[in-house]
Amino acid sequence: MVPSGNLPIMRIMLLGTPGSGKGTQAARLSTQLRIPAVSTGEIFRAERDRGSDLGRRATAYLDHGHLVPDDIVIEVVRRRLSQPDTAAGFVLDGFPRSVPQAVALDEILDTAGTPLDAVLDLTVDRDELVRRLSARGRGDDTQETVKRRLEEYADKTLPLIDFYRAQGKLATLDATGTVDEVTARAIAALAPD
Ligand code: AMP
């Protein structure tokens, strides 16, 4: 299903713990809204796989479930958002993940006069989360790194819920159920009243 009219909201950010389905939904929204998905995790994995300088600097953090330092991530996103395809909007998946990253993003977007329109917080209960994370089998999904990534989320990313709520941009989304159901909820949350 592709919406017939143009949705007015085009600059979207997905928030949610590892395993909440951000990557899957970012890809869905990218197709349906015809905007690029910008996934910092994917950028880092691709750079690591091709052995670039950036990839080498990020590898240890990725492999151990730590967040990559803010200055590195911010630079990556600054560059990505300066590419012309993002002029039509974008869906951010996995960025920002800390308050300094969120402040930097606001600065980048405010300077360009293109602020974020909406932040969707994908919520799933803990049992479902553990089930999903143990099922997907990604290289950095060992028990130890999953635990650390959940801790990093609680520690550094969770404050973003209040950050974006204070901006009036936060929509909380039930991310359980089928992929289609969650996409439909996301589209409904983005639709104008
Ligand atoms: P993801 O695919 O979003 O789960 O990201 C995989 C890994 O990439 C994370 O565990 C971090 O090591 C790194 N990463 C991705 N996005 C960020 C970010 N915004 N800030 C810091 N590290 C990140």
Side-chain angles (χ1 to χ4, degrees):
M1 177 199 69
V2 173
S4 46
N6 273 338
L7 280 169
I9 294 173
M10 286 296 179
R11 289 179 296 276
I12 304 158
M13 184 236 159
L14 301 186
L15 197 59
T17 63
S20 60
K22 293 188 301 293
T24 304
Q25 293 303 327
R28 285 302 200 84
L29 293 174
S30 167
T31 304
Q32 293 211 8
L33 305 177
R34 299 169 203 264
I35 52 179
V38 174
S39 159
T40 43
E42 262 175 37
I43 292 172
F44 288 132
R45 282 189 289 278
E47 294 290 330
R48 180 190 56 192
D49 292 350
R50 69 184 191 91
S52 71
D53 203 42
L54 171 64
R56 269 196 298 277
R57 279 188 291 155
T59 296
Y61 299 100
L62 260 70
D63 289 349
H64 295 100
H66 284 295
L67 291 186
V68 174
D70 287 337
D71 55 340
I72 298 179
V73 190
I74 290 165
E75 223 22 66
V76 163
V77 172
R78 189 192 303 281
R79 248 184 289 151
R80 180 65 187 90
L81 292 183
S82 72
Q83 287 168 16
D85 64 325
T86 62
F90 49 79
V91 50
L92 288 173
D93 156 30
F95 178 91
R97 258 175 155 106
S98 70
V99 171
Q101 290 181 20
V103 169
L105 177 65
D106 274 358
E107 211 174 273
I108 293 167
L109 296 179
D110 287 349
T111 304
T114 56
L116 269 187
D117 294 299
V119 174
L120 302 181
D121 181 28
L122 275 57
T123 62
V124 288
D125 64 40
R126 215 187 147 77
D127 285 354
E128 171 70 6
L129 207 63
V130 170
R131 201 186 58 72
R132 288 187 189 182
L133 285 169
S134 40
R136 75 180 179 183
R138 210 169 70 188
D140 59 347
D141 278 347
T142 66
Q143 224 176 349
E144 192 56 33
T145 55
V146 165
K147 187 165 162 277
R148 187 154 308 117
R149 283 194 286 133
L150 291 171
E151 284 166 4
E152 288 275 64
Y153 181 83
D155 195 31
K156 302 199 178 112
T157 312
L158 211 52
L160 294 187
I161 291 180
D162 283 340
F163 183 93
Y164 287 116
R165 187 181 286 128
Q167 293 190 359
K169 291 181 179 172
L170 188 78
T172 301
L173 210 71
D174 174 7
T176 54
T178 66
V179 171
D180 282 345
E181 283 167 349
V182 180
T183 306
R185 282 181 211 129
I187 295 287
L190 295 170
D193 299 328

